Amino acid sequence: MNLRYIKVCVVLVLCMMGSTAWAQQTDKGVVIDKVIAKVDDYIVLKSELEKGYIEFLSRGQMANGDVKCQILESLVINKMMVAKAEIDSVQVLDIQVEQNLDQRMSYFIQQIGSEEKLEEIYGKTVAQFREELFDQIKEQMIVQKMEGQISADVSITPAEVKTFFSKIPQDSLPYFSTEVTVGHLVKIPEPNDKRKDEVRLELLDIKERIESGIDFGVMAERYSMDPGSARQGGELGFFNRGELAPEFEAAALSMKPGEISDPVETQFGFHIIQLIERRGNTYNSRHILIIPAPTQQDIQDTKDFLDSLRTSVLRDSMRFDILAKEYSDDKQTSGNGGYFSDASGAMRISVEELDPTMFFTIDTMKVGEISKPFEYKMPDGKGAVRIVYYKAKVPPHQANLLEDYQKIRSAALANKRNGIMSKWFKGAQGEVYINIDEEYEYCRILVD
């Protein structure tokens, strides 16, 4: 994979995380950027608008009217929702942001290849990336929470979808690149009982050392394999009942504050848990997580199992999607029968949206083939084994209702949601200070 392609992958991931303020420079080194909107203490930079516009073009999205005005309105509404969230005491906990950041960082480190490679390419440490992105991701999560409250019950009918599509000028219809229907069935190798027993003994030893006087937080930083909480001394923050793994919750709530559990097994590995505080149906705890590594034989056993499933599909005795729903450990795709989907929910995606590993995998396959089992890294960094099903391929084409209904429906629904958000914006703008730069007065963002 060449360096340019790697950089493009990371830029796209960073765009998904939320716009990172940037500044263009002239040959003389003069910064060309300015504040184009202000909502209470929150600002929108011109560079954010330009970045949003570039991202919009790269996605081949559909729009009516002036795209930049629509993007600017969305950015202003986002800032307004953050400001209103502050007024209305709508919060996102820092620990939740850290967990979200862990997942996203793991994903694009995987695309790069390693933390070292990321730092080499961009001249920044992972810690610096995390620090720069933290506030942006927190803002994004607050916006999502507010959006959920404002437009949770929005739906759309087939007639509305057709009306939306009919209003798009023919020369404005997007042209979709090659699209594919691809699925995978993933299994995480299960460590054998001997290895699990070794981890239990290791955690019991850690527990004994803590009870003899060593600080829990120090031991969490040293031994825990949960990077998000390890940096906080193992502390997870307050969670409601039902938000953490059932086994974890049962152990935590069975104890008195300060007590430490024996090793508890969950889908994530083995934990020792300390209850810190309980407030009604919420509780704060900390833990030390150790994930037992599978042996080579465990991995081979997983490959053999997946190969047997592959054979059953090839012999037409079982359907791939049914097996994926029952056996796949990838929760993001198992509900779709193992198939990847785009932002609209359509199970036919552009080859440009595939991660590099999947792109190069199907590049060596024919339509209708199922790969032999092979090892790969999941987005969270876990080692796994998977088989890939290359079901179908659609050549480049202009958007139409017959082939692209799901995408068009998604665009129509987003347009309807945007209308609701705009109405909310008009109704709530009196509660916060909003100022738009005169350069963008023609957008009429503050005009009924």
Side-chain angles (χ1 to χ4, degrees), residues 185-386:
L185 199 163
V186 179
K187 290 302 293 179
I188 299 172
E190 179 76 13
N192 59 62
D193 291 341
K194 179 181 178 183
R195 180 64 188 123
K196 289 182 177 181
D197 289 340
E198 291 171 350
V199 169
R200 287 189 183 95
L201 290 174
E202 184 178 357
L203 282 170
L204 285 171
D205 179 64
I206 292 172
K207 176 184 177 182
E208 186 176 327
R209 292 164 67 186
I210 293 170
E211 291 177 336
S212 69
I214 300 178
D215 183 71
F216 191 108
V218 171
M219 298 297 279
E221 290 180 20
R222 186 178 302 170
Y223 294 107
S224 183
M225 297 174 74
D226 175 7
S229 68
R231 288 187 293 272
Q232 311 299 325
E235 187 168 348
L236 295 171
F238 280 91
F239 280 87
N240 293 311
R241 281 179 175 270
E243 291 184 336
L244 296 179
E247 305 90 345
F248 187 103
E249 181 177 285
L253 296 181
S254 69
M255 297 185 293
K256 297 177 181 178
E259 290 184 339
I260 302 173
S261 72
D262 284 336
V264 176
E265 183 178 7
T266 71
Q267 61 179 315
F268 304 105
F270 288 84
H271 320 246
I272 53 172
I273 305 161
Q274 183 179 54
L275 180 64
I276 298 174
E277 184 182 357
R278 186 171 176 176
R279 298 177 186 168
N281 285 324
T282 68
Y283 61 99
N284 185 12
S285 61
R286 56 182 177 177
H287 74 143
I288 295 173
L289 169 70
I290 296 181
I291 305 169
T295 64
Q296 282 302 312
Q297 185 58 52
D298 297 329
I299 295 171
Q300 186 57 51
D301 290 343
T302 304
K303 287 181 178 180
D304 292 342
F305 174 69
L306 286 180
D307 195 52
S308 70
L309 297 183
R310 174 179 180 268
T311 300
S312 69
V313 176
L314 293 175
R315 289 178 177 173
D316 291 328
S317 59
M318 285 297 292
R319 279 173 32 194
F320 181 87
D321 59 330
I322 292 175
L323 292 175
K325 285 181 179 179
E326 182 173 355
Y327 294 111
S328 183
D329 289 330
D330 180 12
K331 303 308 178 187
Q332 297 295 319
T333 60
S334 60
N336 289 334
Y339 295 111
F340 292 93
S341 59
D342 64 11
S344 71
M347 289 187 289
R348 198 181 71 213
I349 61 175
S350 167
V351 292
E352 296 166 0
E353 294 181 33
L354 293 173
D355 71 69
T357 303
M358 181 61 78
F359 176 85
F360 290 118
T361 296
I362 67 169
D363 194 46
T364 64
M365 298 171 63
K366 295 179 181 178
V367 173
E369 285 187 345
I370 301 176
S371 73
K372 287 186 173 295
F374 63 94
E375 296 177 45
Y376 95 113
K377 290 284 187 182
M378 296 183 72
D380 62 3
K382 282 184 181 177
V385 180
R386 69 175 171 181

Side-chain angles (χ1 to χ4, degrees), residues 122-159:
Y122 287 92
K124 294 180 181 179
T125 65
V126 170
Q128 287 172 320
F129 266 113
R130 294 181 67 93
E131 184 177 352
E132 290 177 7
L133 293 168
F134 183 91
D135 289 341
Q136 295 157 40
I137 292 177
K138 185 168 186 175
E139 179 177 308
Q140 184 185 55
M141 292 176 71
I142 290 172
V143 168
Q144 289 172 345
K145 194 167 184 178
M146 288 291 289
E147 282 180 340
Q149 293 180 5
I150 297 166
S151 61
D153 300 324
V154 181
S155 61
I156 197 162
T157 66

Side-chain angles (χ1 to χ4, degrees), residues 40-56:
D40 278 358
D41 294 330
Y42 301 94
I43 62 172
V44 176
L45 296 173
K46 185 172 184 177
S47 55
E48 291 181 83
L49 174 60
E50 295 301 327
K51 210 169 188 187
Y53 182 63
I54 291 171
E55 184 183 354
F56 178 91

Side-chain angles (χ1 to χ4, degrees), residues 1 3-17 20 51 104-105 107-114 117-118 121-122 129 133 356:
M1 192 183 305
L3 185 60
R4 181 178 178 277
Y5 187 78
I6 288 174
K7 284 195 173 185
V8 169
C9 286
V10 174
V11 167
L12 290 174
V13 173
L14 291 176
C15 282
M16 286 190 294
M17 289 182 174
T20 302
K51 210 169 188 187
R104 298 184 186 221
M105 289 294 295
Y107 176 79
F108 74 86
I109 286 172
Q110 181 188 0
Q111 306 309 306
I112 289 288
S114 67
K117 192 70 174 177
L118 174 68
I121 293 172
Y122 287 92
F129 266 113
L133 293 168

